[in-house]
Amino acid sequence: MGATNMCGAELVSLPEGVQRVAALLDRQGHPYPPVMLDDAARTAQQAADALGVSVGQIAKSIVFRRRSDDVAILVVTSGDQRVDEKKLEALVCPDGKRLGRADAEFVKSRTGFSIGGVSPFAHATATVIMIDRSLFRFGEIWAAAGHPHAVFRLSPQDLERLTGAPVADLAVDVDEEKVALQRAITLVAIRARTVAAAADIPSPCISICRMSDSTGLCMGCFRTRDEIAGWSRADDDGKRATWKLIEQRMAALQS
């Protein structure tokens, strides 16, 4: 995997979203234009590998839907962190109502970008933006530039200046994350013990359906998106093979 610098006439041939981000960066005098990553760079970890940086330096944009007024709430956080929705709700939901899940259609309509390529700015509508303090561990970070394979280089201070957004502690506490991981492993491991003797192979799903940007695996069942999508079509041998992979992944996470 690699990255390709884009400038001048090359930018004109890029998707409209990337051009919009590039134009704003140019107006603000930002020295680093968008670059294009290989198509294989889908997750935060893959993007980090392509750029030769740590996954924490990937500034991922997570969009939530505020239930009270249907406004998009965008959190820019580090690629190795997960947003604590309770912390976020305390800051952006003064009426006490909760945040909802933002689907692909909502994200596109509010920001003008597709999931995976949401820039921290140049949105289609007014968006509430928050920056997670975890990004300030780094001198250099990379953010999405309006397309799932386009990114640009900046510092956390640049991000704060370009967005005008407040900085807050929005990441899940490390201990809480470890507890959640251990709980998922325990629940899935209990189910795994029934596979060998089962006439009907049980699904690994434990109703925790959240994909990890760093591993590309579900944080509840430790499957990839393709494995989840293909489960119902798989035969018994295929399902047992997936279970073996899950057990190997859980062992690796605990090592």
Side-chain angles (χ1 to χ4, degrees):
M1 288 189 283
T4 303
N5 287 290
M6 307 299 293
C7 59
E10 291 178 301
L11 285 172
V12 177
S13 65
L14 291 177
E16 186 274 335
V18 181
Q19 294 184 45
R20 198 161 77 238
V21 172
L24 189 149
L25 291 173
D26 184 62
R27 289 196 302 272
Q28 294 295 323
H30 189 70
Y32 302 110
V35 300
M36 295 299 294
L37 301 178
D38 292 344
D39 288 349
R42 295 181 178 181
T43 68
Q45 184 62 66
Q46 290 168 336
D49 291 342
L51 294 165
V53 300
S54 72
V55 69
Q57 290 175 265
I58 303 300
K60 60 183 181 181
S61 295
I62 310 296
V63 180
F64 298 88
R65 187 176 197 159
R66 189 160 61 188
R67 295 183 187 278
S68 60
D69 54 9
D70 221 29
V71 165
I73 309 294
L74 185 147
V75 178
V76 189
T77 188
S78 181
D80 60 359
Q81 301 293 313
R82 184 165 63 85
V83 176
D84 187 325
E85 292 186 32
K86 291 181 180 179
K87 290 181 181 178
L88 180 59
E89 284 174 344
L91 294 173
V92 302
C93 299
D95 55 4
K97 293 188 178 180
R98 300 185 63 185
L99 296 171
R101 183 179 297 275
D103 59 21
E105 182 179 355
F106 178 85
V107 172
K108 182 70 173 179
S109 67
R110 296 303 192 274
T111 69
F113 304 117
S114 299
I115 291 175
V118 178
S119 166
F121 43 72
H123 300 150
T125 65
T127 302
V128 176
I129 305 169
M130 302 289 292
I131 300 172
D132 179 30
R133 199 179 305 280
S134 66
L135 286 165
F136 286 76
R137 296 172 292 163
F138 306 102
E140 172 190 308
I141 57 177
W142 292 79
H147 185 275
H149 302 306
V151 295
F152 67 99
R153 177 183 171 185
L154 72 168
S155 70
Q157 291 76 18
D158 290 332
L159 178 64
E160 188 177 7
R161 175 179 60 83
L162 290 166
T163 62
V167 178
D169 175 16
L170 298 171
V172 172
D173 294 333
V174 174
D175 287 347
E176 184 179 340
E177 186 80 11
K178 288 180 179 178
V179 169
L181 174 62
Q182 189 56 56
R183 178 176 179 274
I185 288 175
T186 299
L187 292 174
V188 175
I190 290 172
R191 190 167 297 184
R193 297 186 194 122
T194 69
V195 172
D200 186 15
I201 309 301
S203 168
C205 181
I206 58 171
S207 298
I208 299 176
C209 304
R210 184 171 57 247
M211 302 304 293
S212 167
D213 288 314
S214 59
T215 67
L217 301 174
C218 173
M219 298 172 71
C221 67
F222 309 104
R223 289 179 292 177
T224 66
R225 291 185 187 276
D226 289 343
E227 289 167 352
I228 294 169
W231 180 263
S232 62
R233 301 189 302 272
D235 58 20
D236 285 355
D237 288 341
K239 290 178 179 178
R240 291 182 193 278
T242 298
W243 265 110
K244 287 183 179 179
L245 289 173
I246 290 170
E247 291 184 271
Q248 292 169 4
R249 291 164 183 164
M250 291 193 300
L253 287 168
Q254 290 182 300
S255 62

